[in-house]
């Protein structure tokens, strides 16, 4: 029997209080199908000996194109009723990286992040400038109506109402911390990590931010080291969750550092960061990660995480609950 | 003899090809005076038992108010003749952090970063949104003429010319990588780290970016983990240099991780990152760092770094060359 070339792809589509009792079977089915489409898009590339960078881009693009996830088309609304998106990508072979933040008219922010990595001398481009760069790279800006989604708009109205109540009580804007969905909190962001048949890893992450967010708030998604990191010597990581905690604890790079400097396994490193460090701080979230030996982990400290996996040996598998 | 309370403050004002032969004595004197003013501003706070956070903010503000450094008033011009500034601050006691990026009308970006840390639930605010937040916090926007500086404007013209030449030859925009100054390259950014008498450390960094930069390019300065990091368990770090390398190598947090996970001393960790990792990649730059035991380091792999130090035992000292 011919030995299969080893490859691996993992994706996530956000974490939160995602409970079976709050889901309709139609909705559950729609999520599982969308996750499967994303896994298959990335896997097709790996199967054809494509690169990990290409595979994570393709998987994330598929989720950006779905209205179900908080990235690209499904991005949530800011307080002003706009959509502001962030994305980043990193190549574990070269340690090159690219990111865009606060883009508003880009259909696939992850593709522009990849172009920043490959076609510019920079790592991060922001706002209008990033959109100018995208245009130069051949992206046609989409109209803001592309991102309009009735359900997301209702979420904003709900968040604005609860904000008023919460502000009255505490002076704190709790509703900015998450998106109300399925009767619970969902911290949306999509991401993927991959190991390709050439032995290289890569990671990519994309988000539409927080419903009702103000003041140009940026989370961990576009931050290399926080939301995304990849290094052939250690691992590739894509995170989702309460971004402020992920930034302050440099989560994605911390997993790599624990492996490199403390000789922890990927599993031990991820468990320590997700189930000890972050959990002790009530930093809700999760991540997917792979290393070049073919180890992988899907770790989250919330009731659910939209996720999927494909390997050379096993059929694509997608899951939602714990 | 009464024992002096232990405190420490270190600042930097940028690195690069800063050579004595290219300096006039008047210019040298002006830099040394400005550095001393910044050190003394921070030291006054530490001497009066103020916090490390207050001290690094005060030292950085003093450099932001000087036209000599590439931050605040002295910020360089973007390709479009605008000024876009980034800043971040972190409290090693709480691991709280704040950052602003792409602000244009803020006199002291470091103060707004501190307010993001202390008066919001977020870590990073960008662009117009960050300016709205600043206004709400009592900052009066300054007119863009506040940042106008003939020397900086001439730098832009020079960079634009050399860009054209370079683009013709290589398709690469080399002039975006640094600011031509003193006949050499200067990578401007200001920063400070401090240990206060309460035993807490903090770090702060502020920049006007790169002359002739385009596309809303963001460097490491506003990135927690890359340009700025502080943790009482390890150290406080503020970086300056070629930002893209500092982001990809998560430099500030890497020093902390090497101390925490590999038991390196501050000196060993900084030497490894600045003189091995970064230097091997031609990643020009430097950093200042302190730990809670009172160890400190000023490390750079370029011919010069504007820098200064004050301790409870020794008089303030400022330097430029290697």
């Amino acid at each position: 029997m011919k030995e299969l070339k080893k490859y691996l792809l993992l994706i996530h589509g956000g974490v939160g209080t995602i409970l079976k009792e709050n889901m309709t079977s139609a909705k559950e089915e729609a999520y599982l199908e969308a996750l499967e489409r994303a896994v298959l898009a990335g896997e097709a590339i790996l199967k054809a000996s494509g690169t990990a960078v290409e595979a994570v881009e393709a998987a994330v693009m598929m989720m950006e194109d779905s209205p179900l996830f908080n990235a690209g088309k499904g991005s949530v609304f800011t307080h002003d009723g706009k959509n502001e998106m962030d994305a980043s990508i990193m190549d574990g072979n070269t340690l090159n990286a690219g990111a865009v933040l606060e883009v508003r008219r880009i259909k696939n922010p992850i593709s522009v992040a990849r172009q920043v990595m490959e076609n510019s001398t920079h790592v991060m481009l922001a706002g209008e400038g990033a959109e100018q760069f995208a245009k130069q790279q051949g992206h046609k800006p989409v109209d803001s109506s592309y991102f309009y989604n009735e359900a997301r708009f209702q979420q904003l109205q709900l968040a604005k109402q609860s904000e008023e109540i919460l502000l009255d009580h505490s002076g704190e804007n709790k509703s900015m911390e998450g998106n109300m969905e399925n009767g619970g909190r969902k911290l949306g962001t999509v991401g993927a990590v991959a190991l390709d048949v050439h032995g290289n890893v890569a990671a990519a992450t994309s988000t539409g931010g927080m419903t009702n967010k103000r003041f140009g708030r940026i989370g961990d998604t576009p931050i290399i080291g926080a939301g995304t990191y990849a290094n052939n010597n250690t691992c590739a990581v894509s995170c989702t969750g309460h971004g402020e905690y992920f930034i302050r604890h440099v989560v994605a790079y911390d997993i790599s550092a624990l492996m490199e400097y403390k000789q922890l396994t990927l599993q031990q490193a991820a468990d320590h960061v997700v189930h000890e460090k972050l959990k002790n701080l009530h930093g809700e979230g999760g991540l997917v990660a792979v290393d070049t030996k073919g180890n992988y982990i899907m770790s989250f400290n919330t009731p659910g995480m939209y996720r999927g996996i494909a390997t050379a040996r096993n059929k694509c598998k997608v899951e939602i609950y714990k």
Side-chain angles (χ1 to χ4, degrees), chain A residues 9 11 33-47 55 58-59 62 309-310 315-318:
Chain A
L9 178 92
I11 64 164
E33 267 176 30
L35 289 167
E36 192 174 275
R37 267 196 303 277
V39 174
L40 294 176
E43 191 189 10
I45 288 169
L46 296 173
K47 215 178 245 177
M62 200 57 95
I309 180 169
K315 236 185 120 234
C316 153
K317 194 174 153 191
V318 291

Side-chain angles (χ1 to χ4, degrees), chain A residues 150-179:
Chain A
E150 184 59 25
R152 296 297 193 202
F153 194 72
Q154 292 311 323
Q155 271 177 22
L156 172 63
Q157 307 318 314
L158 202 71
K160 280 188 170 180
Q161 283 166 24
S162 61
E163 173 188 33
E164 277 166 29
I165 296 163
L166 286 163
L167 280 169
D168 283 345
H169 284 289
S170 65
E172 284 264 336
N173 183 357
K174 295 289 183 199
S175 65
M176 287 170 82
E177 293 180 5
N179 310 314

